[in-house]
Amino acid sequence: MDHIQCPVCGSSSKLKFTLKFNVYKCPDCGLYTSDAGFDFSFKSDLELASREVGLKKLRFANFEKIITKLRQIKPGKITGLEIGSGNGWWLKVCQEHGINCIGIEPEKAHEGYHTANGLDVRYGFYPDMNVKKESGYDFIIFNDVFEHIKEIDELIINLKQDLAENGVLIINLPMSSGFFYRTAMLMNKLGFKSFLERLWQFNFHSPHMNYFNQKNLEILLRKHGFIKQADHELDSLDFSTLKERIKADSGISKFKTAVLTSGLLLLKPVILTAKPDIRVFFFGKNKPLAD
Ligand SMILES: [Zn+2]
């Protein structure tokens, strides 16, 4: 196929990259869409332990920033739902802040951590997993999950039903306008596909279905009546644990890891001034939220 219909604006997206899966780009809204599928075998080439060391500090710091904003928008007693809780770190940060949040997660890989920390995780897929709350949730959050979902219109219709009248939808995701995506596209042009394959997570059981930018994410949500309340960037790289992250990515040799690490350290000033790779958006249902 050289064309598919853009899931955000309906225009005809053209074939842009041929990787393990095809990637299409919309000429109007700039959304990148892949024809990847979800691999229910749950086998990925990820080294969990190594990844944990590298990411934990960074994720916790980002979650603290999200909580600060959420507290400004919704002070008082709130109940939330996280879709795709993974390791459970968001739920853990909520717990530390006295925020009640339920998680939905298809994988049981982190069940031990969830149980040990007393986190409320339901194992299954949203919306199949029934987590209806009579008055609706005060917030629903996606942390690095929204870009993995194929049927986005269907998803947002369900979210709208599950959110309270003044509920807030929080989406934390990587941006196609960011430094890493742009660099990966350049590397792909030079014949190195692995960087772009990696960003799309095509070798993982749950690859990215879409790669958004600020504009097309807002168009998508506006289509369903959601209005952006706030958005800000998050840190995408913690340089103190960079080596572990690179090591976790695949079977890269020690030598290559050293070269990549020093290369990225040299690039640090460039990365810090480039457009952010990860951004978090707060959307209000139907109307702008009160400040
Ligand atoms: Zn489009």
Side-chain angles (χ1 to χ4, degrees), residues 6-13 26-31 216:
C6 171
V8 165
C9 73
S11 291
S12 178
S13 297
C26 174
D28 292 319
C29 73
L31 181 78
N216 50 41

Side-chain angles (χ1 to χ4, degrees), residues 226-253:
F226 283 89
I227 293 161
K228 192 180 81 178
Q229 168 74 1
D231 68 310
H232 59 82
E233 62 185 83
L234 293 171
D235 295 326
S236 53
L237 261 191
D238 177 351
F239 285 88
S240 64
T241 53
L242 191 60
K243 217 169 155 186
E244 284 86 349
R245 283 204 67 181
I246 290 172
K247 230 169 36 193
D249 280 351
S250 63
I252 307 178
S253 71

Side-chain angles (χ1 to χ4, degrees), residues 24-280:
Y24 301 83
K25 188 185 180 187
C26 174
D28 292 319
C29 73
L31 181 78
Y32 291 88
T33 303
S34 79
D35 58 8
F38 194 95
D39 171 9
F40 286 90
S41 72
F42 290 126
K43 277 191 206 113
S44 58
D45 55 8
L46 175 73
E47 282 175 43
L48 274 176
S50 186
R51 192 174 155 89
E52 296 247 327
V53 180
L55 281 179
K56 196 166 186 179
K57 234 174 89 182
L58 175 73
R59 288 291 152 84
F60 270 69
N62 280 339
F63 290 159
E64 288 290 338
K65 286 187 194 169
I66 296 174
I67 296 243
T68 303
K69 190 75 211 171
L70 175 62
R71 275 293 179 214
Q72 282 171 15
I73 298 173
K74 296 208 78 68
K77 197 173 153 36
I78 50 173
T79 300
L81 176 68
E82 183 189 30
I83 297 173
S85 292
N87 46 35
W89 291 343
W90 164 260
L91 301 176
K92 181 71 189 163
V93 176
C94 281
Q95 187 185 60
E96 284 167 7
H97 284 267
I99 293 172
N100 187 22
C101 191
I102 296 167
I104 298 181
E105 168 58 40
E107 271 190 86
K108 286 197 161 184
H110 299 279
E111 197 179 6
Y113 181 87
H114 300 157
T115 311
N117 288 280
L119 305 173
D120 186 354
V121 180
R122 322 280 168 90
Y123 301 97
F125 285 92
Y126 179 84
D128 312 350
M129 169 80 18
N130 193 353
V131 284
K132 286 264 175 280
K133 187 176 172 287
E134 204 51 54
S135 51
Y137 288 95
D138 299 305
F139 70 92
I140 298 181
I141 185 166
F142 291 84
N143 290 301
D144 289 317
V145 167
F146 195 80
E147 65 278 16
H148 295 269
I149 296 167
K150 204 175 193 81
E151 306 296 339
I152 40 180
D153 282 314
E154 206 181 294
L155 169 74
I156 300 168
I157 291 165
N158 280 295
L159 293 174
K160 216 171 167 180
Q161 286 170 0
D162 285 333
L163 269 174
E165 211 37 61
N166 294 312
V168 54
L169 173 63
I170 308 169
I171 305 174
N172 157 13
L173 78 179
M175 298 270 99
S176 65
S177 47
F179 173 80
F180 288 100
Y181 195 80
R182 285 158 175 266
T183 306
M185 283 199 291
L186 177 70
M187 296 302 279
N188 184 61
K189 225 173 218 170
L190 298 171
F192 302 99
K193 290 185 174 200
S194 64
F195 294 85
L196 210 48
E197 296 264 11
R198 167 68 186 116
L199 283 186
W200 278 92
Q201 302 186 6
F202 281 157
N203 293 315
F204 293 71
H205 65 74
S206 173
H208 288 195
M209 299 298 164
N210 295 294
Y211 232 106
F212 293 90
N213 63 26
Q214 274 171 267
K215 189 182 103 181
N216 50 41
L217 185 67
E218 284 179 49
I219 294 173
L220 172 68
L221 272 299
R222 215 181 300 133
K223 204 164 76 174
H224 293 276
F226 283 89
I227 293 161
K228 192 180 81 178
Q229 168 74 1
D231 68 310
H232 59 82
E233 62 185 83
L234 293 171
D235 295 326
S236 53
L237 261 191
D238 177 351
F239 285 88
S240 64
T241 53
L242 191 60
K243 217 169 155 186
E244 284 86 349
R245 283 204 67 181
I246 290 172
K247 230 169 36 193
D249 280 351
S250 63
I252 307 178
S253 71
K254 271 190 181 145
F255 174 72
K256 260 188 165 172
T257 303
V259 171
L260 269 173
T261 309
S262 49
L264 279 168
L265 281 173
L266 285 173
L267 279 172
K268 189 177 173 180
V270 182
I271 295 169
L272 292 179
T273 51
K275 279 199 171 181
D277 273 89
I278 306 178
R279 226 176 156 80
V280 59

